[in-house]
Amino acid sequence: MPLPSIGRRAVLAAAASASAVVSGLSAPASAAPLVEKRPRPLPGGGDLGPNVLVFDPSTPNIQAKLDEVFRQQESAQFGAGRYALLFKPGTYHGLNAQLGFYTSIAGLGLSPDDTTINGDVTVDAGWFNGNATQNFWRSAENLALVPANGTNRWAVSQAAPFRRMHVRGDLNLAPAGYGWASGGYIADSRIDGQVGPYSQQQWYTRDSAIGGWVNAVWNMVFSGVEGAPAQSFPNPPYTTLDRTPVSREKPFLYLQGDDYRVFLPEKRTNARGVTWGSGTPRGTSLPLTRFYVARPGVSAATLNRALAQGLHLLLTPGIYHLDRPVEVNRPNTVVLGLGYATLIPDNGVTAMKVADVDGVRLAGFLIDAGPVNSSTLLEVGPRGAFRDHCANPTTVQDVFIRIGGAGPGKATTSMVINSRHTIVDHTWVWRADHGEGVGWETNRADYGVVVNGHDVLATGLFVEHFNKYDVQWYGERGRTIFFQNEKAYDAPNQAAMQNGSVKGYAAYKVGDGVISHEGWGLGSYCFYNVDPTIVQHHGFAAPVRPGVRFHGLLVVSLGGNGQYEHVINDTGSPTQGTSTTPSTVVSFP
């Protein structure tokens, strides 16, 4: 059904009045006043569109449909396809849901145990000759799995969250053949058996329960995880926090009878274990009628009109081109994407701006830079934001940003966090190192994430390949639990990376004036394949003060393509040779 057109302000009354003055005549006394026509309110709710596939246990040929989507998406790394596979509560038998790019699978119950698949949700790397380092942009959520052979395979790298899952067996995070894999994220999940990362280089698990964890490569980080291995960094490289300081799980779609609703989990402090272990999770919910259900092709003006009208946004799978920012100005607004809905600013605008208000929830979408340089792509709070949001913070969850890869894209700074107490819970901010529109100047992006707000917490921060600093943190009392970074591969020479008198830009820089900051489990890797002689002075930079503390830092030279002289500031041994052996700092200062 076509969307209503945007109303235009009526000017006929003013024109008639001006005409009467010019002619020396008064308007007829009997003339009725002209009333401005207001646009009809946008409707809430509605159909989820053709790329949301909904199954129930009686649906015929479920496996055939899953296979059809996988064939289309298996190797479509920069394609336009976007899919959400949703399963109504019940029990399903004999399924193997293989997930390709831009594909999300989720149950529609309030608890993962409401929707049980006797079978697997599989990610492997056959499409890339057993290498899982490019298995991006796919997700699994809110399901119980009984794996066919006792072990479910989830061989992913960045931007592939595994949330609210119950695996009644083991979980293997490596591809068949144990090829390379490059990191991932688990939250609010229970794995009854063991988790085996095997060839995974790094991983973050939050607020979950596991039967055990075997093996580690460089950087395994846990917070609030029952059954997590004990703190032992760097040998083995486990960084373990007993609890997560603050967390609030991602909003999710579910069914109440025949009606769709969106559940909004409540904030937890000092969190540990899953939210759903004793049945219904704690929180509130909204009917779908409170959401504007957006389809690809809708304009930014219409999205803003829906927000101004008081609706939340549900972005159905597809690509949305924006000629102006989407402006989230109302407290407690939810913007929830399905199937990696993708926002592209076409003319150098910022894709989304959030006001300095309480409780905004951004979740489950991708921002893809356009060909005209944007000064920023996502802004949470305006510059100078100061309000206290401790009781009801804004959360940014599974919101991913990409510059280049699908075509030329540019942005000076990708994500700016100005609002206090914001929680950034799993993001991948990526200047592309492969694909189309990739080159040192072609997809220029100087800065990844800039944090100006105080009391900001990042849980699962992945930021890679920026021309200058990947992360800059200027707010006070900032905290990061798990950071994964690769420096830009394509720096042409040492001069291009020179930062004044310093060799290279730190992956993670804490501002010189900051007096309180803390980080756990942070890693930076270099692979300067254009000029392997490039040297980074350090991976991390921070002022030396008692209140600025780091735990479990490492830098790695991948095959000797570039080297680090230190880990943080002038501390830590240099990387050497081609051994790909981490240089570590257990605590700083």
Side-chain angles (χ1 to χ4, degrees), residues 107-340:
L108 288 170
L110 264 179
S111 164
D113 290 329
D114 293 340
T115 311
T116 298
I117 292 178
N118 287 293
D120 297 84
V121 172
T122 301
V123 178
D124 207 343
W127 74 278
F128 201 44
N129 300 314
N131 180 345
T133 59
Q134 294 182 23
N135 280 353
F136 313 140
W137 304 305
R138 63 201 75 196
S139 67
E141 185 173 358
N142 206 28
L143 291 165
L145 304 177
V146 183
N149 67 354
T151 301
N152 190 80
R153 185 183 302 279
W154 184 256
V156 299
S157 288
Q158 290 80 11
F162 197 80
R163 289 185 181 269
R164 295 177 53 77
M165 295 290 287
H166 185 186
V167 180
R168 298 175 190 163
D170 297 331
L171 185 63
N172 185 343
L173 304 179
Y178 301 98
W180 294 338
S182 184
Y185 172 94
I186 293 171
D188 201 21
S189 294
R190 180 180 296 278
I191 292 86
D192 292 346
Q194 290 191 325
V195 181
Y198 304 111
S199 54
Q200 280 285 353
Q201 295 161 347
Q202 61 274 318
W203 197 277
Y204 176 50
T205 307
R206 178 182 65 70
D207 298 354
S208 294
I210 60 176
W213 189 279
V214 294
N215 198 60
V217 178
W218 293 335
N219 191 30
M220 302 286 142
V221 180
F222 309 83
S223 68
V225 178
E226 298 170 357
Q231 169 72 33
S232 58
F233 185 90
N235 187 26
Y238 297 140
T239 299
T240 302
L241 289 75
D242 185 63
R243 296 181 180 272
T244 304
V246 186
S247 62
R248 189 173 69 191
E249 299 302 331
K250 174 180 172 286
F252 61 92
L253 193 68
Y254 75 102
L255 277 172
Q256 186 176 76
D258 294 328
D259 297 325
Y260 286 107
R261 299 182 68 89
V262 173
F263 192 82
L264 308 177
E266 69 174 20
K267 188 188 81 168
R268 297 199 293 169
T269 57
N270 296 317
R272 182 172 172 85
V274 300
T275 63
W276 46 270
S278 57
T280 303
R282 297 175 66 88
T284 58
S285 72
L286 296 168
L288 194 63
T289 53
R290 296 278 304 278
F291 285 77
Y292 176 69
V293 180
R295 298 279 194 93
V298 69
S299 69
T302 300
L303 296 175
N304 285 332
R305 182 177 150 208
L307 290 168
Q309 186 180 305
L311 293 173
H312 307 274
L313 296 182
L314 185 73
L315 305 173
T316 63
I319 295 174
Y320 298 75
H321 287 271
L322 307 175
D323 63 354
R324 67 193 70 179
V326 175
E327 300 199 28
V328 181
N329 296 320
R330 183 169 43 87
N332 302 309
T333 299
V334 179
V335 180
L336 176 61
L338 301 179
Y340 288 82

Side-chain angles (χ1 to χ4, degrees), residues 463-476:
V463 188
E464 296 191 298
H465 305 310
F466 285 84
N467 294 74
K468 293 185 178 179
Y469 290 115
D470 298 276
V471 172
Q472 297 172 90
W473 205 299
Y474 300 109
E476 290 290 352

Side-chain angles (χ1 to χ4, degrees), residues 227-536:
Q231 169 72 33
S232 58
F233 185 90
N235 187 26
Y238 297 140
T239 299
T240 302
L241 289 75
D242 185 63
R243 296 181 180 272
T244 304
V246 186
S247 62
R248 189 173 69 191
E249 299 302 331
K250 174 180 172 286
F252 61 92
L253 193 68
Y254 75 102
L255 277 172
Q256 186 176 76
D258 294 328
D259 297 325
Y260 286 107
R261 299 182 68 89
V262 173
F263 192 82
L264 308 177
E266 69 174 20
K267 188 188 81 168
R268 297 199 293 169
T269 57
N270 296 317
R272 182 172 172 85
V274 300
T275 63
W276 46 270
S278 57
T280 303
R282 297 175 66 88
T284 58
S285 72
L286 296 168
L288 194 63
T289 53
R290 296 278 304 278
F291 285 77
Y292 176 69
V293 180
R295 298 279 194 93
V298 69
S299 69
T302 300
L303 296 175
N304 285 332
R305 182 177 150 208
L307 290 168
Q309 186 180 305
L311 293 173
H312 307 274
L313 296 182
L314 185 73
L315 305 173
T316 63
I319 295 174
Y320 298 75
H321 287 271
L322 307 175
D323 63 354
R324 67 193 70 179
V326 175
E327 300 199 28
V328 181
N329 296 320
R330 183 169 43 87
N332 302 309
T333 299
V334 179
V335 180
L336 176 61
L338 301 179
Y340 288 82
T342 302
L343 308 179
I344 301 178
D346 287 329
N347 54 355
V349 300
T350 299
M352 185 173 291
K353 294 184 177 182
V354 180
D356 191 18
V357 295
D358 272 356
V360 172
R361 303 181 195 229
L362 309 180
F365 56 90
L366 170 65
I367 297 175
D368 206 353
V372 178
N373 186 74
S374 294
S375 59
T376 57
L377 293 172
L378 173 63
E379 293 180 12
V380 179
R383 181 178 292 276
F386 64 92
R387 293 188 174 94
D388 187 311
H389 304 295
C390 179
N392 188 13
T394 286
T395 45
V396 181
Q397 299 177 285
D398 301 347
V399 174
F400 308 116
I401 294 179
R402 179 174 68 194
I403 302 95
K410 292 186 177 183
T412 303
T413 304
S414 292
M415 181 186 295
V416 180
I417 307 296
N418 292 318
S419 285
R420 294 183 61 191
H421 300 103
T422 299
I423 300 171
V424 180
D425 176 44
H426 190 225
T427 188
W428 185 38
V429 181
W430 185 59
R431 175 181 168 265
D433 61 272
H434 61 272
E436 295 184 12
V438 171
W440 185 248
E441 296 295 344
T442 305
N443 63 329
R444 182 86 194 185
D446 283 351
Y447 309 111
V449 175
V450 176
V451 180
N452 297 313
H454 299 326
D455 307 292
V456 171
L457 171 66
T459 51
L461 183 61
F462 298 73
V463 188
E464 296 191 298
H465 305 310
F466 285 84
N467 294 74
K468 293 185 178 179
Y469 290 115
D470 298 276
V471 172
Q472 297 172 90
W473 205 299
Y474 300 109
E476 290 290 352
R477 298 174 298 281
R479 292 173 291 184
T480 295
I481 304 173
F482 183 88
F483 172 67
Q484 186 267 326
N485 165 263
E486 285 181 346
K487 296 301 298 174
Y489 292 173
D490 55 348
N493 48 49
Q494 186 76 49
M497 292 296 295
Q498 196 68 16
N499 180 16
S501 61
V502 178
K503 298 172 185 176
Y505 291 82
Y508 187 108
K509 176 178 173 58
V510 179
D512 294 341
V514 171
I515 61 173
S516 177
H517 188 91
E518 195 160 10
W520 297 263
L522 282 64
S524 177
Y525 324 131
C526 71
F527 184 70
Y528 289 117
N529 61 342
V530 174
D531 181 359
T533 69
I534 291 174
V535 174
Q536 279 274 135

